[in-house]
Amino acid sequence: MSKMGSRFRPVWLIAGAAVVIWAFGVIVGYYIVHKPFGPNNAAALLRTALDIAVWWLMLAAATGLGWGIIRRYLGQAITPLEATVFSCGLGLGILSLLTLALGLAGGLRTWLIWLLMAAIAVAGAWPLRDLVKRLIRSNPLRAKTRFERALLIYVLLALVPVFLSTLAPPIAWDSQVYHLSGPKLYLEQGRITGGIDIPYLGFPALVEMLFTTAMLLKGTAAAKLIHFTYALLSLLLIYALAQRYLTRRAGLLGMAILAATPSMMLIASWAYVDLALLFYELVAFYLLLLWAEAACNNHLVSPREALQLDTRSQVPAAQGNDNILLLVGVFSGFAMGVKYTAVLLPATLAVIVLWTSRKEGWRLVLRRGLLVATSAALVAAPWFLRNWAFTGNPVYPFFLPGRFWDTFRAWFYSRPGTGLASTEPWRLLIAPLEATIYGLEGAEGYSASIGPLFLLAIPLLLLTWRRWTRSQRGFVGLVMIICIPQYLLWLYGVAQSALLIQTRLLFPIFGFLALLAGFALDRLYMLDTPQFSLARFLSGVVLLVLGLDLLSVGLRSAHSNPLAYLAGYQSAQDYVRRYQPDYQEAVEYVNEELPPSARIYFLWEPRSFYCERDVRPDAILDGFLHLR
C-alpha cells in the first residue's frame, strides 16, 4: 500500500491543487460580479463597529475608575453584579465632572480626551479584569422556571431594537434642541462658555458632559449609547435590589415591567437624561439600605431602628458604615447634576438617616446628616457655580433673574395658572389613571405611553401586605417614602401649568414603581386557592402584555428601519429627512445656500443641532412675543 501511495501521490497532489485553483477561481469570479457588499456597506459597518468600540472604551474606563473607589468602601460586601453597576455609575459621574473641568479650562480637544480616556482605561484595566471575572463566574441573571426564563428573554428581545435605534442619527426633539446642541456648540468653540441664549443649557449637565466626551471621541451614536447604558444599568439594578431585599422573581418582573414601558424604552435610544436620573436615584437608595445593614451588623443601632431590614450583607465593621453614607451623598449629588428636581432625593435620604440615628446622640445624628447633605452639595456644586458665573443665577433659569432672562420670559416659560388646578381640579385625583389610559407618546396631554402594568399591579400590594415579612414591609415603606414627595411635586406641577402635564417628568421614580409592581405580582401566590390561582392568571396577563409590547416594538422598529442606515443603504441625511422632511429642507437651505458669515434667527423653531451656520434658535418659542 505504501508503494501504491507513493506511486499516486504526485497525481493526487496535482489533482488537489487543480481543485483548489478551480474553487478559488469560481468563487472569486462569482463574487467579482455578484458583490456581497459594496464600499458603502463596508464603511457603514466599520462606522458602527467604531461607535460600539468607543462606547465600550468609555464604559471600561468608567467602570475601572469607579471600582477603584467602590472596592475601598464596600469591598467584598456586595455581589459582582452590584459592584459592576455601582462602579460604572460612579465612574461615569466622575468622567462627567472631568469633562466639565476640561471644558471650562478650554481643553475640549480630541487628542486630549483620547489621551485622558486611554490613561484612565489603562490604569483601571487590571482591577476591572478581576471584576469582570467575578461577574462571569457569579452568573448573576438566573431564571429557575419557564415563566422567569420568558421574562428574561422578553427583556433581551425588547432591548435589541432599542440598541439598533441608538446607533442611528439623532432625531429626538430635545436632543436637537439642547441635549446635543449644547455639546456641539461647546466643541465648536473648544470650551464651555456662556452667552448662548438657550435657557436649557443652564440645567445641570452631568449627562450632557458625557455626550460631549462621546462626540469628541467619535460622534452622536456613541453619545446616544451613553443614555442606553443608563437603561441597562437601571434594569440590572432593579434585579439586584429585588434579589437582595425581595425575591429574584420580583426582580425579573420589575425588569420586564420597566422594559415594557414604551416611552421609557423609546427615550433609551435617544440622547436624553431621564434614565440617568432614574439610575442615580436607585443607586443612592440602594446604598442607604446597605448603610442600614451595616449599622445593624456593627450594632450601632438596633435592627428595628435600622428600618426593619434583614442583616444579610456582610459589611465589615472595620470599614465603618459612615463611609457608605458618603457614597449615598455622592450619588445623590450626581442625581442633582442631572436635573434640579432631584434635590428632593438627598433631602429625603438625609431625613431617613437622621430618623434612623435619632437615639445615637445629637452629635452623631448631626454628623451623619451633614455627611449626606454636604457630599451631595459638593458633587452638585459645579453646575450651580457654572450658572452663577455665566448668568448670575445659580439655578438658572428659575426663581432669579439672569442673562437673557426677564419676568416676561419667566412667565411664558412656566405659564402659571394653566394647570389642572385652574381648569379641572378633580382630574388631579385620577392623574395616574389618565396618564396610563390616555397618555400617548408625542401627543398632547401626558405625552407618554407607560403601559398598563404599573396601574394594574401596584394597587395589588394592598391584597398581600399583611403576609409580608418585616423586612419586606420596611423595604416597601422606604420606597414609598422616596416616591411620595417626588410624586407630589409632579402633581403640583400638573396643577400649576399645562406645560408640566407630562408623565416623563415622573420617570425618575419609575424604577421604584417597577420594583413595587414586580413585588405585588410576585406575592399573589399567597391568595391562591385550590379552585383558582390568581397568580397564574395574572402571570398569563403579564405575558400577554409583554407579547403585545414586543409585537409593537417590532413593528415600530420595522417602520423606523435603522438597519438601512446601519448597513449603508441609506445616508444619515436621508434617514433624518424621513422624520422631519420640511424642517430638514430648511436646514439644508441654510447650510448650502447661505454664506458662512450669515447669522440666522429662528422664530417658532427651537431645534438647531443640524445647522452649520450661526443660528439663534427660538428655544422656548417666545421669540416673536418677546421682541414685540
Side-chain angles (χ1 to χ4, degrees):
M1 291 183 64
S2 61
K3 291 182 179 180
M4 291 180 63
S6 61
R7 184 185 307 169
F8 291 104
R9 190 172 184 181
V11 177
W12 282 110
L13 287 175
I14 294 172
V19 170
V20 170
I21 295 171
W22 173 252
F24 182 78
V26 170
I27 296 300
V28 170
Y30 178 85
Y31 284 111
I32 287 177
V33 178
H34 304 84
K35 297 178 177 62
F37 58 86
N40 291 340
N41 306 117
L45 294 175
L46 178 61
R47 176 195 63 217
T48 300
L50 291 176
D51 287 332
I52 295 174
V54 168
W55 174 47
W56 277 103
L57 172 65
M58 289 188 65
L59 294 191
T63 306
L65 178 62
W67 176 233
I69 299 172
I70 290 293
R71 63 179 175 174
R72 294 183 180 180
Y73 286 89
L74 296 174
Q76 303 298 318
I78 52 178
T79 66
L81 177 61
E82 293 166 339
T84 303
V85 173
F86 292 169
S87 300
C88 187
L90 179 61
L92 287 173
I94 296 173
L95 288 180
S96 173
L97 294 176
L98 288 175
T99 302
L100 174 65
L102 281 176
L104 293 174
L108 293 182
R109 301 289 185 271
T110 300
W111 67 268
L112 185 58
I113 292 295
W114 269 105
L115 184 63
L116 175 66
M117 202 61 56
I120 294 175
V122 170
W126 189 255
L128 178 61
R129 176 174 173 270
D130 293 335
L131 178 59
V132 171
K133 284 184 176 180
R134 287 180 55 199
L135 181 64
I136 294 173
R137 286 197 301 265
S138 68
N139 186 24
L141 294 176
R142 294 187 296 271
K144 294 185 177 180
T145 66
R146 286 185 296 177
F147 179 70
E148 293 179 359
R149 194 174 299 112
L151 294 176
L152 192 55
I153 291 173
Y154 162 77
V155 172
L156 295 175
L157 291 178
L159 287 173
V160 170
V162 178
F163 176 71
L164 294 177
S165 296
T166 304
L167 295 167
I171 55 171
W173 185 273
D174 284 356
S175 295
Q176 297 183 67
V177 173
Y178 70 104
H179 289 310
L180 292 178
S181 294
K184 175 193 170 186
L185 293 173
Y186 300 148
L187 295 182
E188 289 174 351
Q189 301 177 70
R191 64 188 308 115
I192 297 173
T193 63
I196 303 173
D197 187 10
I198 301 179
Y200 307 110
L201 298 186
F203 292 173
L206 183 143
V207 184
E208 283 83 358
M209 289 298 99
L210 294 173
F211 294 163
T212 303
T213 301
M215 290 167 67
L216 265 175
L217 292 174
K218 181 61 174 65
T220 57
K224 293 169 68 181
L225 284 167
I226 294 299
H227 196 228
F228 178 74
T229 298
Y230 281 112
L232 294 179
L233 295 177
S234 299
L235 291 170
L236 294 173
L237 202 57
I238 287 171
Y239 175 78
L241 255 172
Q243 186 178 41
R244 180 182 282 265
Y245 296 108
L246 298 172
T247 65
R248 184 192 66 259
R249 190 170 183 268
L252 291 171
L253 279 164
M255 290 176 69
I257 290 170
L258 191 68
T261 309
S263 290
M264 187 76 71
M265 289 298 100
L266 183 63
I267 67 172
S269 66
W270 296 347
Y272 273 33
V273 303
D274 305 80
L275 290 169
L277 181 53
L278 184 155
F279 168 76
Y280 283 121
E281 290 209 6
L282 278 176
V283 177
F285 175 73
Y286 205 143
L287 290 166
L288 179 72
L289 298 182
L290 292 177
W291 168 78
E293 292 185 31
C296 290
N297 290 341
N298 296 337
H299 305 292
L300 297 176
V301 295
S302 67
R304 178 174 297 179
E305 291 166 339
L307 312 173
Q308 297 181 335
L309 295 172
D310 292 337
T311 57
R312 277 170 277 176
S313 71
Q314 301 298 322
V315 180
Q319 290 182 349
N321 60 316
D322 285 351
N323 288 336
I324 306 177
L325 287 181
L326 180 63
L327 288 177
V328 171
V330 168
F331 279 96
S332 297
F334 286 154
M336 293 170 62
V338 178
K339 282 193 175 184
Y340 284 129
T341 52
V343 69
L344 285 176
L345 178 69
T348 305
L349 296 179
V351 169
I352 294 174
V353 170
L354 295 176
W355 177 258
T356 304
S357 308
R358 66 191 183 280
K359 295 184 179 179
E360 296 301 310
W362 69 268
R363 292 192 179 187
L364 184 59
V365 170
L366 183 61
R367 178 176 179 271
R368 290 176 175 174
L370 286 175
L371 189 59
V372 174
T374 303
S375 56
L378 289 175
V379 170
W383 313 111
F384 300 96
L385 295 174
R386 176 206 61 174
N387 281 351
W388 194 10
F390 287 166
T391 70
N393 177 7
V395 290
Y396 187 86
F398 300 108
F399 305 122
L400 302 172
R403 191 174 185 182
F404 306 119
W405 204 250
D406 52 35
T407 54
F408 174 84
R409 300 196 79 186
W411 169 83
F412 188 86
Y413 182 73
S414 60
R415 315 280 178 87
T418 61
L420 294 184
S422 302
T423 55
E424 298 172 288
W426 61 270
R427 290 174 57 193
L428 293 172
L429 300 175
I430 60 170
L433 178 64
E434 287 193 333
T436 300
I437 303 300
Y438 298 112
L440 290 172
E441 178 62 42
E444 291 186 6
Y446 291 93
S447 302
S449 300
I450 61 174
L453 294 179
F454 291 103
L455 185 62
L456 167 68
I458 292 176
L460 302 181
L461 290 169
L462 298 174
L463 299 179
T464 60
W465 73 274
R466 290 181 178 273
R467 303 186 186 186
W468 300 347
T469 66
R470 180 173 294 182
S471 63
Q472 290 169 346
R473 290 184 183 180
F475 180 88
V476 172
L478 274 179
V479 170
M480 297 299 292
I481 290 172
I482 297 293
C483 290
I484 288 175
Q486 298 189 53
Y487 174 77
L488 293 177
L489 178 63
W490 173 78
L491 200 63
Y492 174 78
V494 170
Q496 292 299 308
S497 174
L499 299 179
L500 297 179
I501 304 178
Q502 298 183 45
T503 309
R504 188 165 64 88
L505 300 177
L506 198 59
F507 277 1
I509 65 169
F510 267 51
F512 299 105
L513 298 182
L515 279 167
L516 295 180
F519 184 58
L521 293 171
D522 178 57
R523 296 293 91 182
L524 286 179
Y525 76 89
M526 296 179 172
L527 304 177
D528 285 352
T529 66
Q531 294 78 24
F532 180 69
S533 173
L534 188 60
R536 184 172 298 177
F537 169 76
L538 283 180
S539 295
V541 171
V542 169
L543 291 177
L544 174 64
V545 171
L546 299 183
L548 291 174
D549 178 74
L550 204 57
L551 175 62
S552 175
V553 169
L555 293 174
R556 189 165 60 244
S557 179
H559 176 261
S560 62
N561 190 22
L563 288 175
Y565 166 76
L566 298 179
Y569 292 107
Q570 189 177 51
S571 67
Q573 192 176 37
D574 290 338
Y575 180 86
V576 174
R577 194 183 293 119
R578 282 202 293 124
Y579 287 90
Q580 45 193 36
D582 296 335
Y583 171 74
Q584 203 61 23
E585 183 179 354
V587 167
E588 290 171 7
Y589 176 84
V590 168
N591 293 340
E592 297 170 6
E593 301 297 331
L594 299 183
S597 61
R599 179 178 295 177
I600 304 99
Y601 288 84
F602 282 179
L603 290 177
W604 302 292
E605 178 52 64
R607 295 168 294 176
S608 61
F609 176 72
Y610 285 108
C611 294
E612 299 173 1
R613 296 291 183 267
D614 185 1
V615 170
R616 310 299 168 91
D618 191 357
I620 62 173
L621 304 177
D622 72 329
F624 178 77
L625 292 175
H626 190 260
L627 289 172
R628 187 181 68 174

